[in-house]
Amino acid sequence: MRLRALLETDALGLRLLGGADELDRTVRGVMTTDLRDPSRYLSGGELVLTGLAWRRTAEDSEPFVRILAAAGVVGLAAGEAELGSVPQDLVEACERHRLPLFSVMESVAFATITEHVVRQVSGERAGDLAAVVDRHRRLMTSGPAGGGPEVVLDLLTSDLDLHAWVLSPVGRQVAGSDTPLPAGVGPALAAEHLAASRTGRRSPHRVLVGGTAYSLFPIRAADRGPERLAGTAASRDVRTSVLSDWLLAVEADAGDWPAARLDLLQGVTQLIAVERDRRDAARTVRRRLAQEVLELVQAGAAPSEIAARLRVAAPVLLPGLGAAPHWQVVVARVEWDGGSVESGPAAQALLEEVLVDPTVPADSMAAAAEPADRIAVAYSGEEAIALVPLPAVAADHPDGDGAAEDRGPGLHAESLLAAVERPLSGGLADDGRLTLGVSAPVHSAEGLRGALEEARHARRVAAARPGRVAAAGHHELASHVLLLPFVPDDVRRAFTARLLDPLRDYDQRHRAELIPTLEAFLDSDGSWTRCATRLHLHVNTLRYRVGRIEQLTGRDLSRLEDKLDFFLALRMS
């Protein structure tokens, strides 16, 4: 807006004291100050409001005005409440520095002027930005992307002072300002967004995370295409896309925004959706390669034929990497109550997002490509199957730091679960489940079939666990953990009741602790001393309790078979 426009608004109570020739200056902001030197807070283009508390003597006016002029201030408005009128020394100083000067009536609050200027400036900037966004949208829909979502997010920051980020469904920052979101905020925002979307709330969704207000806008692509969603009916079900759609998070409360600004942000989401569709299209080659390899593996093709296809896939998935990679297989399945939603394509889209985010060491993955460019995901029926390449050098030199790394390099079920459980649980609500299975790395075509079966078995183990999101890894398949989920419920109940119900009844009647004692005894490998120390008991007391357990169950805890039966019963109970 122009300075001249301020004089045309009677409600602002402004009177021009000097600088009539400079009234076409553009106001880009407003600041209220009574500091002698406010230069550190000025960036140029401001209308400065002052109550004159900084002025002690007439000599103070010249340095104050000189500082404002040097900072690029476009005008000064002085209140009459402090001195009754604007002093002549300030008028003369403004004339020397060609700085327009206004007086503000005592009855007018600075807040009134500030609100008016901010409203006008924001409206004009929004209009200018809307034109830029519209032009950028036309460019992106008709030709190569002009810098991706970062361009329009930079415009939001520079022109509207709005900090915004594009987030994946699990809270990964896809694009945003130079300042990243604080740790943990991205997944929290994604969880809030998914939960709100499932309940049908209108966007933007306003949330408070870490004491900061955010407004969340869904980024919905106009057309996911037949690869992503099969069938018209499926495309209308929010469950087919909610787990894979991006979102725009804006650090602001949009509750009192005017319709024009909300429309502008909706335009921004449409623009980003165009870029999302471009990235999805770029995945087509990787999906096709994954589908071809999967079909060969499932058809029992010769290892040499699979190896040839992998040699074609490696340069696409690992550009610039000379070494032949190791491969891991990840299998995912999304299941909804009722079974009316086709989940294969949805699981494929979700797995592509999930696998960009694994919390594994950065040097265990190829550095030559973006994470999203290392993943090829196909689907077969209701399952999504990902081929994840690992550089051979990384697979041969595990770090050995931490429990997950001790099992080798690459993806680990625990890490995947930790990254996605919180946000995706909101999108699954009370009628969906996501289960994941992760294979061990393999280094040849011969091992790929086994890796696929391993990942599928691990996913079945995860499916037997509680929770909306569950994952299991290959290391669990060499354990009794693999067998327990497949024990029929009636057999499980009968087995545990026969061994443990007598102990539970005794504990309830006598307030004893036979079940905890049994667990501690088995965890101590049958060592009387270690178990007694753990339970803070005398060894004789422990022997009495174990004897009572044997008496009630007819078992002998010195025999390996009976120890094993008790161990399994406790695990299944």
Side-chain angles (χ1 to χ4, degrees):
M1 66 176 296
R2 307 289 183 180
L3 277 175
R4 190 181 307 279
L6 296 174
L7 292 173
E8 297 171 356
T9 306
D10 295 337
L12 300 183
L14 295 178
R15 183 166 58 94
L16 183 64
L17 301 181
D21 296 337
E22 305 291 338
L23 292 180
D24 286 328
R25 293 184 178 186
T26 299
V27 180
R28 301 186 181 278
V30 62
M31 175 189 178
T32 300
T33 184
D34 276 311
L35 295 173
R36 289 174 176 269
D37 182 2
S39 58
R40 72 185 69 179
Y41 305 109
L42 298 170
S43 57
E46 295 92 350
L47 171 69
V48 171
L49 308 177
T50 180
L52 301 176
W54 50 267
R55 182 182 178 277
R56 300 289 191 271
T57 67
E59 287 73 22
D60 294 335
S61 294
E62 170 63 27
F64 180 77
V65 174
R66 184 171 61 249
I67 289 170
L68 298 188
V73 169
V74 298
L76 175 64
E80 297 178 347
E82 181 76 13
L83 303 177
S85 63
V86 178
Q88 186 62 29
D89 50 87
L90 182 59
V91 176
E92 294 171 355
C94 288
E95 287 178 354
R96 285 192 295 272
H97 291 278
R98 301 180 63 85
L99 183 66
L101 176 63
F102 304 88
S103 65
V104 183
M105 295 172 54
E106 185 176 355
S107 60
V108 178
F110 282 174
T112 301
I113 301 173
T114 299
E115 182 180 357
H116 176 83
V117 172
V118 169
R119 189 186 307 116
Q120 296 298 316
V121 170
S122 296
E124 292 176 6
R125 285 183 179 174
D128 294 341
L129 182 57
V132 173
V133 169
D134 184 63
R135 183 169 66 253
H136 200 66
R137 183 190 299 116
R138 291 197 300 271
L139 288 172
M140 291 186 69
T141 53
S142 61
E150 289 83 359
V151 173
V152 70
L153 296 184
D154 287 344
L155 290 173
L156 286 177
T157 301
S158 62
D159 282 28
L160 294 184
D161 197 27
L162 291 176
H163 297 281
W165 301 265
V166 178
L167 303 177
S168 78
V170 293
R172 173 180 62 92
Q173 183 172 316
V174 178
S177 63
D178 292 337
T179 304
L181 286 167
V185 171
L189 292 176
E192 294 279 359
H193 169 73
L194 289 172
S197 297
R198 283 303 310 275
T199 59
R201 283 165 44 195
R202 293 185 60 185
S203 64
H205 310 131
R206 297 149 55 201
V207 299
L208 192 68
V209 175
T212 302
Y214 297 90
S215 297
L216 310 178
F217 297 80
I219 298 173
R220 298 190 177 101
D223 180 17
R224 287 293 189 204
E227 262 194 304
R228 298 297 295 270
L229 299 175
T232 304
S235 64
R236 289 196 296 265
D237 194 319
V238 68
R239 293 177 296 179
T240 61
S241 61
V242 67
L243 295 179
S244 57
D245 281 341
W246 288 353
L247 68 136
L248 176 67
V250 181
E251 189 180 321
D253 187 342
D256 57 353
W257 280 6
R261 179 169 286 203
L262 289 173
D263 289 344
L264 170 63
L265 267 295
Q266 294 296 345
V268 169
T269 64
Q270 293 170 15
L271 178 58
I272 297 171
V274 173
E275 176 65 15
R276 172 68 188 276
D277 285 343
R278 288 188 185 281
R279 297 191 184 189
D280 283 352
R283 290 175 174 173
T284 302
V285 174
R286 296 195 297 275
R287 290 178 187 159
R288 187 179 300 120
L289 287 172
Q291 198 73 42
E292 291 174 357
V293 172
L294 175 62
E295 290 172 359
L296 290 173
V297 170
Q298 294 190 132
S304 59
E305 188 177 356
I306 299 174
R309 179 53 52 189
L310 287 178
R311 284 194 295 272
V312 173
V316 176
L317 298 177
L318 293 171
L321 189 71
H326 286 62
W327 299 91
Q328 268 185 289
V329 176
V330 180
V331 173
R333 184 164 182 159
V334 178
E335 298 173 286
W336 303 100
D337 293 349
S340 60
V341 179
E342 184 181 5
S343 60
Q348 178 190 36
L350 175 60
L351 195 53
E352 286 173 333
E353 293 295 333
V354 166
L355 293 181
V356 179
D357 279 354
T359 53
V360 298
D363 58 0
S364 70
M365 302 293 279
E370 289 299 316
D373 295 332
R374 294 192 296 261
I375 299 159
V377 184
Y379 71 91
S380 176
E382 300 300 299
E383 285 183 335
I385 299 154
L387 294 176
V388 182
L390 306 171
V393 63
D396 290 336
H397 296 85
D399 293 83
D401 294 326
E405 288 76 4
D406 286 343
R407 288 189 291 272
L411 300 171
H412 298 288
E414 300 92 334
S415 300
L416 286 176
L417 183 62
V420 306
E421 183 175 19
R422 180 184 181 188
L424 293 185
S425 293
L428 293 163
D430 56 357
D431 62 346
R433 287 202 76 205
L434 167 66
T435 50
L436 297 160
V438 182
S439 80
V442 296
H443 66 278
S444 66
E446 289 87 346
L448 203 54
R449 182 178 181 84
L452 175 59
E453 292 305 314
E454 193 173 59
R456 282 176 165 162
H457 281 306
R459 194 207 62 78
R460 294 189 191 103
V461 171
R465 294 173 174 170
R468 290 293 161 191
V469 183
H474 58 90
H475 61 281
E476 299 182 59
L477 303 186
S479 163
H480 65 279
V481 174
L482 172 63
L483 303 176
L484 295 186
F486 306 106
V487 177
D489 288 342
D490 54 344
V491 176
R492 181 192 302 262
R493 286 191 295 269
F495 182 74
T496 57
R498 187 176 300 115
L499 280 173
L500 301 183
D501 278 2
L503 306 182
R504 292 193 182 103
D505 292 342
Y506 188 89
D507 283 348
Q508 187 173 5
R509 290 197 312 269
H510 300 281
R511 296 184 178 181
E513 295 184 350
L514 297 185
I515 291 288
T517 300
L518 176 61
E519 291 176 333
F521 187 72
L522 295 176
D523 287 344
S524 302
D525 298 324
S527 168
W528 297 99
T529 302
R530 288 206 309 270
C531 184
T533 301
R534 177 174 176 176
L535 295 175
H536 305 289
L537 298 175
H538 192 278
V539 172
N540 289 341
T541 304
L542 176 61
R543 291 184 184 277
Y544 171 80
R545 290 186 182 180
V546 170
R548 180 62 67 182
I549 292 170
E550 293 174 335
Q551 180 183 16
L552 291 170
T553 60
R555 298 299 185 103
D556 183 355
L557 279 170
S558 65
R559 298 179 66 247
L560 176 62
E561 293 86 347
D562 288 342
K563 287 179 182 177
L564 179 59
D565 284 347
F566 277 123
F567 175 80
L568 293 174
L570 289 170
R571 286 299 179 95
M572 288 191 293
S573 65

